[in-house]
Amino acid sequence: MRYGADRKEQSRREIVARAAERLRRDGIAAVGVRTLMSDAGMTHGAFYAHFGSRDDLVAQALERAIEATRDGLLGHLENVPAEHRFEAVVDAYLRPIHRDHVAKGCAAAALAPEIARLDDETRGRFWRGVGSLADVIEPLLPPGGSDDERRTRAHALFASLMGSLQLARAVPDAAESERMLAGGRDAALAIARSAWSST
Amino acid sequence: MRYGADRKEQSRREIVARAAERLRRDGIAAVGVRTLMSDAGMTHGAFYAHFGSRDDLVAQALERAIEATRDGLLGHLENVPAEHRFEAVVDAYLRPIHRDHVAKGCAAAALAPEIARLDDETRGRFWRGVGSLADVIEPLLPPGGSDDERRTRAHALFASLMGSLQLARAVPDAAESERMLAGGRDAALAIARSAWSST
DNA sequence: TGTACATCAGTGAACGCGCGTTCACTGATGTAC
DNA sequence: TGTACATCAGTGAACGCGCGTTCACTGATGTAC
């Protein structure tokens, strides 16, 4: 090796990290290879030394974005006493700063419909990421229910949070957007607290 | 007038109607003017005789798509007795055929994050459309609550349905997708049935 | 320690192609007489 | 009713531009002696 052992790998990681933000900000279809590379401080020519295709980078960046989303949620739970963790995760997800910073926010909220149009393999990776988010929520639900029922409820709860955040972002009126976040919070609590159908 | 009085207007409506489908299917950023025009059986040259710009058509098509979504939901409520209407609207929204036919389905579920990136005016029109969907749901909620609280809950409930449908579309595995729809249904019922905070 | 050399991450011109938009034209239609 | 004409919705070539991708090259780096 003539160059530092992991110099190229560091570049790759930088490209993926910046792309994870850019894709959330602008959407998957709206961003070109030149933009993605210049975000990482390079020119487009180096792209194919790192990735097989644009789609290859998109898949890696989506995975990275979801990981960052989960790490962010987990970060918000540190130092929160167990009995307040459920409300903490809901409030963290629906706080105004999350609504206003799409690029660093939940990848599913920023991109779910576009991801639904991608190939099976990329959707599979994304779905595992959604599962890891549901895994953050599941232990915070009230006790009861079968494993399946708890898992399904955690997914539905996440879907509800995601939908509320998306609509809060789409409203042009600030007061309506706040109401959307507050309503989303109430809805999340209602889902969590409803009776389990099985013991 | 040398031509039939509303020949041009019929063409415009056809372009808008086909675009309303194409945009939901492929996403807003992924579709070009040539595709939109050939969907309506014309060549791209005629486009600017009907619309000021691509964005102009997008705005009209989104409005049209949301109207169609609301009409579809209302259609599902015809001949349903009042006491079953809430479950009917939830089941209609989360039925597999809706999940599988994005092009004719809910515009918000297909495009919400992309719409959140558009200009204020288009988002305002979209938000009025979401309001008209919430207006379908609101009277079907259990009695109680202030007008504001009922309206907010109807919006949150819609957000929850939308999120569940989006995730059901993103999962590659069929059984998991079904579970997502069923979980979304339970979540919607939990939101609707939770206690009102005010009388 | 100093110099010649090999490596290879990154550069930037170039490829064919599709984009949004413009515009001179075509030809089907309805009108006038 | 038949023919000449005016209208104008729709056509398709063309504009400059950015796309994804390829590739000959550059020049900073670490190695060999």
Side-chain angles (χ1 to χ4, degrees), chain A residues 146-199:
Chain A
S146 66
D147 283 1
D148 247 34
E149 198 179 356
R150 294 180 65 81
R151 208 178 88 84
T152 299
R153 185 176 291 194
H155 277 83
L157 210 149
F158 174 70
S160 187
L161 291 172
M162 181 190 82
S164 298
L165 189 64
Q166 284 182 8
L167 291 188
R169 283 172 174 163
V171 205
D173 180 77
E176 296 243 45
S177 182
E178 295 297 319
R179 203 177 316 170
M180 196 67 235
L181 293 180
R185 185 193 139 95
D186 291 344
L189 299 187
I191 294 167
R193 290 172 180 163
S194 66
W196 298 103
S197 68
S198 65
T199 35

Side-chain angles (χ1 to χ4, degrees), chain B residues 22-47:
Chain B
R22 175 64 77 170
L23 292 174
R24 279 175 281 183
R25 189 195 314 276
D26 293 350
I28 297 173
V31 192
V33 166
R34 281 157 187 80
T35 303
L36 292 166
M37 288 302 278
S38 81
D39 280 350
M42 290 174 217
T43 56
H44 63 277
F47 185 85

Side-chain angles (χ1 to χ4, degrees), chain B residues 177-190:
Chain B
S177 182
E178 295 295 321
R179 204 177 315 169
M180 196 66 236
L181 293 181
R185 186 192 137 95
D186 290 345
L189 299 187

Side-chain angles (χ1 to χ4, degrees), chain A residues 12-41:
Chain A
R12 193 194 66 81
R13 270 203 279 266
E14 179 67 12
I15 298 165
V16 171
R18 295 281 80 76
E21 297 183 9
R22 175 65 76 172
L23 293 173
R24 280 175 279 182
R25 190 195 310 276
D26 293 350
I28 298 173
V31 191
V33 166
R34 281 158 187 82
T35 302
L36 292 166
M37 289 301 278
S38 81
D39 278 352

Side-chain angles (χ1 to χ4, degrees), chain A residues 39-189:
Chain A
D39 278 352
M42 290 175 216
T43 57
H44 64 276
F47 186 86
Y48 293 89
H50 292 284
F51 308 99
S53 66
R54 198 193 87 108
D55 288 349
D56 179 15
L57 168 58
V58 166
Q60 292 187 40
L62 288 179
E63 201 149 16
R64 169 72 197 249
I66 283 265
E67 279 167 19
T69 303
R70 190 208 47 210
D71 293 348
L73 277 190
L74 286 174
H76 268 274
L77 291 181
E78 279 173 16
N79 307 319
V80 174
E83 69 272 25
H84 296 127
R85 285 196 171 178
F86 179 71
E87 264 118 328
V89 89
V90 170
D91 289 341
Y93 196 93
L94 295 178
R95 88 208 117 111
I97 210 177
H98 187 195
R99 174 197 59 198
D100 299 336
H101 291 74
V102 195
K104 305 224 172 190
C106 174
L111 298 168
E114 282 199 89
I115 291 167
R117 296 181 191 105
L118 300 179
D119 60 282
D120 269 36
E121 210 239 309
T122 309
R123 283 156 60 214
R125 291 209 228 172
F126 167 75
W127 185 247
R128 278 193 291 283
V130 169
S132 77
L133 294 175
D135 288 344
V136 174
I137 295 173
E138 189 271 331
L140 310 179
L141 293 174
S146 66
D147 283 1
D148 247 34
E149 198 179 356
R150 294 180 65 81
R151 208 178 88 84
T152 299
R153 185 176 291 194
H155 277 83
L157 210 149
F158 174 70
S160 187
L161 291 172
M162 181 190 82
S164 298
L165 189 64
Q166 284 182 8
L167 291 188
R169 283 172 174 163
V171 205
D173 180 77
E176 296 243 45
S177 182
E178 295 297 319
R179 203 177 316 170
M180 196 67 235
L181 293 180
R185 185 193 139 95
D186 291 344
L189 299 187

Side-chain angles (χ1 to χ4, degrees), chain B residues 142-165:
Chain B
S146 66
D147 282 2
D148 246 34
E149 198 180 356
R150 294 180 65 80
R151 206 178 89 85
T152 299
R153 184 176 291 193
H155 277 83
L157 209 150
F158 174 69
S160 186
L161 291 172
M162 181 190 81
S164 297
L165 189 65

Side-chain angles (χ1 to χ4, degrees), chain B residues 12 17 45 69 73 93-94 119 124 136 147 160 178 191 193:
Chain B
R12 192 194 66 82
T69 304
L73 277 192
Y93 196 92
L94 294 177
D119 60 282
V136 174
D147 282 2
S160 186
E178 295 295 321
I191 294 168
R193 290 172 181 163

